[in-house]
Structure formats: structure tokens, C-alpha cells
Amino acid sequence: MIWDNAFAISIIPMLLKGLWVTIQLTLLGTLIAAVLGLVAAVIRRLNIPVLSPLVSFMVIFIRGTPLLIQAYVAFFVLPIYGISFNAFTTGVVIIGINYSAYMAEVYRSGIQGVPAGQWEAATALSLPPVRTWCRVILPQAVRTVIPMLGNYLIQMFKDSAVLSAITVVELMATAQSIGTSTYRYLEPLTMAGALFLLVSYPASRLVNKMERRYAPKQ
């Protein structure tokens, strides 16, 4: 099969539309993952009876099962029990929950990295627990893990292609649809890969700069 420039140019608008869906999935999924991951990390740190072990189990369970299976269960199985959402919403929620388990571990490492003296100082000042977490611990913990969270954002951007399996019309699904309807896969798949790279490479460079900026001072 020979590359067709005219065909490649004609499918750019469709691919860009799919790219926009992928970006929306990534941003919304990252927001869910960042919030749920932080909540999970804090709950595990607090050692709350029943709740903390349950959250720990959920983190292990989510990390131990493939994103694709989780997406299939959410989209094809849960509707049997009356829990049903459209493909895009399901995709956002599932990829957000999936990555929250990984971000929870990132946050946990950041919390553990806060010097013991900071905890002791907060206790000595009789700061309420909420204020201790919000004003002392989390600002320090989150700052050190920002680069790692950025890496997960980039990984989520690429993993969003998995959601094409539940009919989310993102970039990969768009490329496959074009190939199926035109019997030409060379151009759409190559260009989809190029668009993924076009977004992920600058993002990875930005994360590298953040790593240098937020690296612990020696």
C-alpha cells in the first residue's frame, strides 16, 4: 500500500476531533484520579479501622486487574444491574478510578517523605488534624510528587486508546473507523500515532523540567 497524501489530508479533521476527545478523557480522568488518589492515600495513612484496610484492598485490586477488564465490566456488566452511563462518561470514570490507585501510591510516598519533625512541630503547636494535613503535610508531600503525577497523566493519555473497546470515539477509535470504512489503514493509524507523539513528547519534556524544579534540595 502506497501513502496517499490527498487521503491523509482529507482525514485530518476527523483525527483532530478524535484527539480532542482523547485530551478531554485524559484531563477529566486525571482530575478524578488525583482527587481519589489523594483521599485514598490520606485514609491509608490515618489507619482508620475497617476503612483503611478496605481502601488498601481496593488499591491492590485495581492495580492488579487490567484497565480493559474494568472498562468491560463497567460498560457491559453494570447495566445489567441498572447502573448505566454513556461510553464517554464510563471511560472517564473508569480510567480515573484505575489511575487513582497508582496515584494513591505516589501520594503515599510523598506523605512518607515529609520529615518527622514537621509532624512533631504540628503536634507541639496543637494544630487540629485538618489544619495539620492541609497547611503542613500535604503542601510538602504534593510538591515533591508533582513530576510523578505528570508522568501518569502522559501514560493515561496513551492508555485512553484502550477505551475504544467500549465504543469511546477517541483518537484510536477514529483511526480504526476510518480504516474500516475506506480499507486504508496506513494513513489513519500512522497519523494517529504521530498525533499521540506530538502531544506526549512535549508533555514529557515539561515533566522533565518539573522534575528538576521540584527535586529535593541537597
Side-chain angles (χ1 to χ4, degrees):
M1 181 176 289
I2 301 175
W3 182 274
D4 186 333
N5 284 327
F7 176 68
I9 293 173
S10 71
I11 64 176
I12 289 176
M14 289 181 285
L15 291 175
L16 289 179
K17 184 177 180 180
L19 176 62
W20 173 235
V21 174
T22 296
I23 291 173
Q24 291 179 79
L25 275 170
T26 303
L27 295 178
L28 293 173
T30 298
L31 178 61
I32 292 173
V35 173
L36 292 183
L38 181 58
V39 171
V42 172
I43 290 176
R44 295 177 73 184
R45 172 73 186 195
L46 293 175
N47 291 319
I48 302 172
V50 180
L51 184 58
S52 292
L54 179 60
V55 170
S56 295
F57 170 77
M58 290 303 299
V59 168
I60 294 172
F61 178 80
I62 293 171
R63 284 165 58 92
T65 54
L67 172 61
L68 181 59
I69 292 179
Q70 295 168 13
Y72 275 149
V73 170
F75 192 68
F76 296 111
V77 178
L78 290 186
I80 298 174
Y81 301 96
I83 304 174
S84 177
F85 300 98
N86 62 49
F88 180 83
T89 301
T90 301
V92 167
V93 172
I94 288 303
I95 202 168
I97 292 176
N98 179 273
Y99 270 82
S100 71
Y102 295 93
M103 290 190 181
E105 292 298 302
V106 172
Y107 285 125
R108 187 164 70 96
S109 68
I111 292 171
Q112 291 176 338
V114 175
Q118 298 294 311
W119 295 91
E120 295 168 357
T123 301
L125 293 172
S126 300
L127 294 180
V130 173
R131 190 173 181 185
T132 297
W133 278 99
C134 295
R135 300 295 296 274
V136 179
I137 304 304
L138 291 182
Q140 298 180 68
V142 172
R143 177 183 174 86
T144 60
V145 301
I146 286 177
M148 287 184 283
L149 296 178
N151 283 324
Y152 276 123
L153 183 148
I154 296 171
Q155 187 62 44
M156 184 186 294
F157 173 71
K158 293 181 289 185
D159 281 351
S160 65
V162 172
L163 299 177
S164 63
I166 60 170
T167 71
V168 178
V169 189
E170 42 67 66
L171 179 55
M172 187 62 188
T174 301
Q176 290 175 325
S177 176
I178 293 172
T180 300
S181 61
T182 63
Y183 299 102
R184 293 194 65 90
Y185 288 91
L186 174 62
E187 294 87 355
L189 292 180
T190 301
M191 294 172 69
L195 287 172
F196 273 113
L197 181 62
L198 186 65
V199 175
S200 61
Y201 178 72
S204 65
R205 298 286 294 178
L206 178 61
V207 169
N208 289 337
K209 290 183 178 180
M210 292 169 62
E211 287 177 348
R212 292 192 293 270
R213 177 177 179 180
Y214 294 110
K217 299 294 189 295
Q218 301 295 332

